[in-house]
């Protein structure tokens, strides 16, 4: 391993000896690696040993330099890792104490890349673009995009150009669905003028005495008084036909440019290939969106960001809907309910990879796949272990997105360098970029505390959907309740929000005001697993074992919103032990006992989805979110039991006393269950058949 660090013209202090001791690898310190000392980079790049460069500003320059240097292994054979230690620590008021953080970031950079996952393909090679909006604006943009796209216009008023430059559609839009390469437009052509036949001679416009025809060559039927002068002057056969029936139409497009004030898609993350340019959008934003649109012709692949295991899903059972946290939190409308098949359905082409669905999923049925939880956990554990080994204390993980979050971190470091009112990222704060900030949740946050973190903070920007903040706060409230219930003092989790560089001063002040929270006395050694519940159990086991205080009753109460742990309360007066709840439980938390009329419960497995309560015909079940500290939470315990009912003929036990009594009470007034038939309900299945065939009072087929 070769590590190259640069003080960037001596603007940041770097202790190369301390870094080398912490990493167990030699660290070569430079002052202008991207300029006059570039030869040192070339010499290191020629070696076969893994290479890490503590600089991200000149990553492109270094990559080009490596490609141009003879003898350097290709990037797919020996990738070069780049780590930002300048804005994240070197440009800070307490930069001289940031060596443990720098060591942690460099150590995490040496981890292997995530395992590859299946991909999702978009194919827009046919280059069919639909532009919706006022005709003047739509035609102007179509002219500028025609070199890349085959443009079709859907007018919403305005004046149509005389020349037949682009196909033009008109009518009422009934729906727009799809994604890049697969948009479907549905509309109703309910206007008397057929635009594909119209020659745009303007005779109809001039002839109409009501002024009902505009230069969009559509008839305003509310203004038309049926003079039909337009029909008489039209020389294009069939172009104007008031008897034409409104017909539903459908067409396929690869991308959509929408110029209307209200977008066709209202979710926070619209489909790939849909670009909205509302009136009043500033010039820079318009240019940026149009530039993206020009790059969308071709074939594109993206990771399939999620894994779904229906057998673990707590969404629906027996036509009852339980947990729908993923459906509610998805900002791309990529998840829908399919209760008939006891599942959710995720459209991978709409998924933007935020991971919020896996964060709020209580059972682990949805898992964020790229990178997977095991890889994310390995990175966090490496950061914390290296920081501690290098002498760091009270580490606070600052998780942020690779996009807007990373840019905000860089602005923060630059502001600390130039603005006396901004201190920069504190030495104990370890920033770590995620694909998306919402992709980690309760199990990894608590695991990080168990691995030795003092705090875990999440940085949100305008990039994230509003519902993400609500979901993350709910998850944090549950995690904080667990930690406080176990006696860990302080605020361990915080949601930090900043729009952009304008909020840096407030962000800086907020972070500086957060004192370290109490962590574990001995860091855990377990590794994060692919199974969410398994990782959560490992974290809880360690936190409970090292808890400063244990509640006297051995129970930590949890908030109702978002709690994935808890027990059930069963009303013994109402429950008949019908066991419908057992069949509805997706997690195996509720079980029957084949040997006795008992309802048993394994608290560790319960995800508090509520399917049991919704399924219970007697409404006898109530959810109770909590963390039970007793080891018996892993073992079956009896929630409710009843004496069995014994057959009145043979004495064999069948059913429960409560269940049979309830059945008899409900059927007592039914004419089919009177006399001997009512007595037969008190018999087991075998005796009912025997009694039915031996009774002299029953009518037989031979008697008819």
């Amino acid at each position: 391993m070769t590590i190259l660090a640069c003080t960037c013209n001596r603007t940041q202090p770097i202790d190369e000896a301390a870094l080398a001791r912490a990493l167990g690898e030699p660290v070569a310190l430079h002052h202008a690696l991207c300029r006059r000392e570039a030869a040192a980079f070339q010499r290191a790049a020629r070696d076969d040993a893994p290479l890490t460069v503590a600089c991200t500003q000149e990553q492109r320059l270094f990559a080009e330099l490596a490609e141009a240097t003879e003898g350097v292994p290709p990037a797919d054979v020996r990738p070069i890792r780049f780590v930002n230690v300048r804005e994240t620590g070197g440009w800070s008021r307490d930069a001289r104490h940031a060596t443990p953080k720098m060591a942690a970031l460099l150590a995490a950079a040496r981890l292997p890349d995530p395992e590859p996952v299946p991909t999702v393909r978009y194919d827009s090679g046919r280059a069919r673009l639909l532009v919706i909006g006022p005709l003047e604006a739509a035609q102007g943009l179509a002219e500028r995009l025609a070199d890349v796209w085959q443009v079709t216009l859907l007018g919403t008023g305005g004046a149509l150009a005389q020349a037949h430059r682009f196909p033009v559609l008109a009518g009422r839009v009934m729906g727009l669905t799809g994604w890049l390469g697969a948009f479907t437009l549905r509309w109703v052509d309910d206007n008397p003028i057929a635009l594909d036949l119209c020659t745009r001679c303007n005779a109809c416009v001039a002839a109409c005495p009501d002024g009902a025809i505009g230069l969009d060559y559509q008839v305003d039927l509310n203004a038309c008084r049926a003079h039909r002068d337009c029909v008489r002057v039209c020389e294009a056969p069939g172009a104007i036909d008031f008897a034409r029936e409104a017909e539903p139409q459908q067409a396929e497009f690869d991308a959509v440019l929408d110029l209307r004030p209200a977008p066709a898609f209202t979710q926070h993350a619209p489909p790939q290939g849909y670009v909205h340019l509302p009136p009043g959008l500033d010039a820079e934003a318009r240019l940026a969106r149009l530039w993206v649109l020009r790059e969308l012709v071709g074939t594109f692949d993206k990771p399939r960001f999620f894994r779904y295991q229906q057998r673990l899903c707590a969404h629906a059972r027996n036509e009852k809907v339980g947990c729908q946290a993923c459906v509610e939190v998805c900002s791309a409308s990529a998840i829908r309910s399919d209760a008939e098949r006891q599942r959710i359905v995720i459209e991978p082409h709409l998924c933007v990879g935020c991971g919020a669905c896996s964060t709020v999923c209580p059972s682990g049925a949805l898992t964020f796949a790229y990178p997977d939880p095991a890889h994310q956990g390995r990175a966090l554990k490496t950061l914390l272990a290296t920081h501690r080994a290098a002498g760091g204390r009270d580490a606070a993980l600052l998780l942020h997105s690779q996009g807007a979050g990373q840019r905000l971190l860089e602005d923060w470091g630059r502001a600390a360098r130039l603005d006396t009112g901004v201190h920069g990222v504190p030495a104990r704060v370890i920033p770590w970029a995620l694909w998306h900030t919402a992709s980690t949740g309760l199990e990894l946050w608590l695991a990080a505390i168990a691995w030795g973190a003092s705090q875990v903070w999440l940085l949100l920007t305008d990039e994230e959907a509003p519902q993400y903040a609500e979901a993350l706060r709910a998850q944090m409230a549950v995690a904080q309740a667990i930690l406080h219930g176990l006696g860990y003092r302080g605020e361990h989790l915080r949601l930090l929000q900043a729009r952009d560089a304008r909020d840096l001063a407030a962000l800086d002040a907020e972070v500086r005001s957060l004192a370290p929270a109490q962590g574990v006395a001995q860091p855990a050694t377990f590794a994060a697993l692919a199974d969410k519940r398994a990782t959560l159990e490992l974290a809880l086991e360690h936190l409970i074992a090292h808890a400063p205080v244990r509640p006297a009753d051995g129970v930590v109460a949890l908030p109702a919103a978002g709690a994935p742990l808890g027990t059930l309360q069963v009303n013994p007066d109402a429950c008949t032990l019908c066991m419908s709840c057992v069949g509805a439980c997706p997690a195996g938390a509720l079980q029957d006992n084949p040997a006795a009329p008992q309802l048993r419960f394994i608290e560790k497995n319960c995800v508090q989805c509520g399917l049991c309560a919704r399924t219970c015909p007697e409404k006898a079940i109530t959810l109770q979110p909590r963390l039970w500290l007793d080891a018996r939470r892993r073992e079956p315990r009896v929630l409710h039991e009843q004496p069995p009912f014994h057959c009145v003929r043979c004495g064999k036990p069948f059913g429960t006393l409560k269940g049979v009594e309830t059945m008899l009470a409900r059927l007592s007034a039914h004419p089919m269950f009177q006399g001997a038939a009512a007595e037969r309900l008190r018999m087991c299945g075998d005796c009912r058949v025997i009694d039915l065939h031996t009774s002299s009072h029953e009518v037989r087929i031979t008697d008819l």
Side-chain angles (χ1 to χ4, degrees), residues 69-86:
T69 302
E70 186 177 355
V72 175
D76 57 345
V77 175
R78 197 281 312 269
I80 301 174
R81 313 285 183 176
F82 296 91
V83 182
N84 186 341
V85 299
R86 186 178 71 178

Side-chain angles (χ1 to χ4, degrees), residues 349-664:
H349 292 90
L350 294 176
C351 174
V352 295
C354 67
C357 56
S358 63
T359 295
V360 300
C361 177
S363 66
L366 273 171
T367 305
F368 192 65
Y370 190 77
D372 62 20
H375 180 90
Q376 289 181 324
R378 191 181 309 118
L380 299 183
K381 185 179 179 182
T382 299
L383 288 168
L384 294 167
T386 307
H387 183 268
R388 183 173 60 255
R393 297 179 57 190
D394 301 324
L397 287 173
L398 179 59
L399 306 180
H400 59 86
S401 68
Q402 295 179 352
Q406 183 63 44
R407 291 191 295 271
L408 189 62
L409 260 292
E410 294 170 357
D411 290 339
W412 193 1
R414 188 178 300 110
R417 174 75 179 157
L418 303 174
D419 188 346
T420 57
V422 177
H423 292 75
V425 185
R428 73 181 188 92
V429 176
I430 308 174
W432 186 248
L434 305 173
W435 175 266
H436 197 286
T437 318
S439 63
T440 63
L442 182 73
E443 74 286 355
L444 282 179
W445 302 340
L446 290 178
I449 300 296
W451 289 326
S454 169
Q455 289 150 308
V456 178
W457 301 333
L458 272 68
L459 178 60
L460 299 185
T461 65
D462 284 346
E463 187 179 48
E464 287 83 15
Q467 60 262 42
Y468 294 165
E470 298 171 11
L472 292 171
R473 283 195 184 94
Q475 292 275 300
M476 285 185 171
V478 174
Q480 193 63 73
I482 292 173
L483 294 168
H484 281 169
L486 296 175
Y488 294 96
R489 298 186 305 275
E491 183 184 4
H492 298 80
L493 299 117
R494 171 68 73 96
L495 201 63
L496 304 171
Q497 292 185 278
R499 295 166 299 171
D500 48 38
R502 294 171 293 176
D503 296 333
L504 280 176
L507 175 65
D508 187 88
E510 182 179 3
V511 168
R512 293 281 166 180
S513 68
L514 297 175
Q518 182 180 6
V520 293
Q522 179 181 343
T525 58
F526 68 84
L529 304 175
D531 183 86
K532 176 176 185 170
R533 299 289 293 193
T535 301
L536 179 59
E537 283 300 315
L538 289 171
L540 291 174
E541 182 179 339
H542 188 84
L543 292 170
I544 293 171
H546 295 83
V549 177
R550 292 174 67 97
D553 59 356
V555 172
V556 176
L558 301 180
L565 305 166
T567 187
L568 304 176
Q569 297 294 330
V570 176
N571 182 354
D573 296 328
C575 178
T576 62
L577 288 181
C578 68
M579 300 301 172
S580 59
C581 56
V582 174
C585 180
L590 284 167
Q591 302 176 350
D592 62 355
N593 186 348
Q598 291 180 339
L599 176 62
R600 300 192 297 178
F601 179 65
I602 302 176
E603 186 160 335
K604 178 183 75 71
N605 293 349
C606 181
V607 299
Q608 295 283 289
C609 65
L611 277 170
C612 55
R614 291 180 174 87
T615 301
C616 178
E618 313 298 340
K619 308 301 180 187
I621 299 177
T622 305
L623 304 181
Q624 182 185 353
R626 72 173 192 177
L627 172 61
W628 190 28
L629 306 184
D630 198 295
R632 288 176 293 173
R633 66 188 293 269
R634 301 180 179 86
E635 304 168 358
R637 74 174 192 272
V638 177
L639 283 183
H640 183 47
E641 61 181 336
Q642 288 183 356
F645 186 89
H646 295 272
C647 175
V648 296
R649 178 167 179 157
C650 70
K652 183 174 69 175
F654 77 97
T656 66
L657 180 62
K658 179 76 172 179
V660 174
E661 288 177 346
T662 301
M663 176 182 65
L664 291 172

Side-chain angles (χ1 to χ4, degrees), residues 2 39 65 108 128 145 166 195 214 252 346 451 454 535:
T2 302
L65 193 59
R128 301 165 303 177
L145 297 169
F166 306 103
L195 289 179
E252 308 296 324
I346 310 173
W451 289 326
S454 169
T535 301

Side-chain angles (χ1 to χ4, degrees), residues 181-349:
F183 282 101
T184 299
L185 172 71
R186 293 180 295 107
W187 79 100
V188 174
D189 186 358
D190 56 359
N191 206 275
I193 301 180
L195 289 179
D196 55 341
L197 298 177
C198 176
T199 62
R200 303 179 195 176
C201 67
N202 299 312
C204 59
V205 179
C208 180
D210 302 318
I213 303 178
L215 290 179
D216 58 349
Y217 305 108
Q218 297 290 284
V219 179
D220 182 354
L221 296 176
N222 293 322
C224 178
R225 296 293 180 268
H227 296 287
R228 301 297 185 261
D229 292 348
C230 55
V231 178
R232 288 191 292 272
V233 300
C234 181
E235 296 187 1
I240 305 178
D241 183 0
F242 283 86
R244 182 186 297 117
E245 293 186 5
E247 296 182 358
Q249 306 282 344
Q250 181 171 306
E252 308 296 324
F253 297 94
D254 295 307
V256 178
L257 176 59
D258 195 344
L259 309 181
R260 297 172 296 177
F265 299 94
T266 57
Q267 62 263 39
H268 183 270
Q272 294 282 341
Y274 174 80
V275 177
H276 185 222
L277 289 183
L281 191 67
D282 65 85
E284 184 177 352
R286 289 175 64 87
L287 181 61
R289 296 184 189 185
L290 286 172
W291 190 261
V292 169
L293 184 61
R294 293 184 65 87
E295 302 297 318
L296 291 181
V297 178
T299 302
F300 309 92
D301 291 324
K302 73 173 182 181
R304 188 183 178 95
F305 289 104
F306 62 90
R307 295 191 183 97
Y308 176 58
Q309 302 178 74
Q310 184 180 350
R311 63 181 179 84
L312 299 177
C313 185
H315 174 61
R317 289 290 190 280
N318 304 328
E319 299 183 354
K320 302 289 185 181
V321 174
C323 173
Q324 48 186 350
C326 59
V327 178
E328 294 171 351
V329 81
C330 181
S331 68
S333 297
I335 308 177
R336 63 177 175 85
S337 169
D338 187 6
E340 290 185 0
R341 293 181 173 85
Q342 304 183 161
R343 64 177 184 174
I344 57 167
V345 177
I346 310 173
E347 176 47 66
H349 292 90

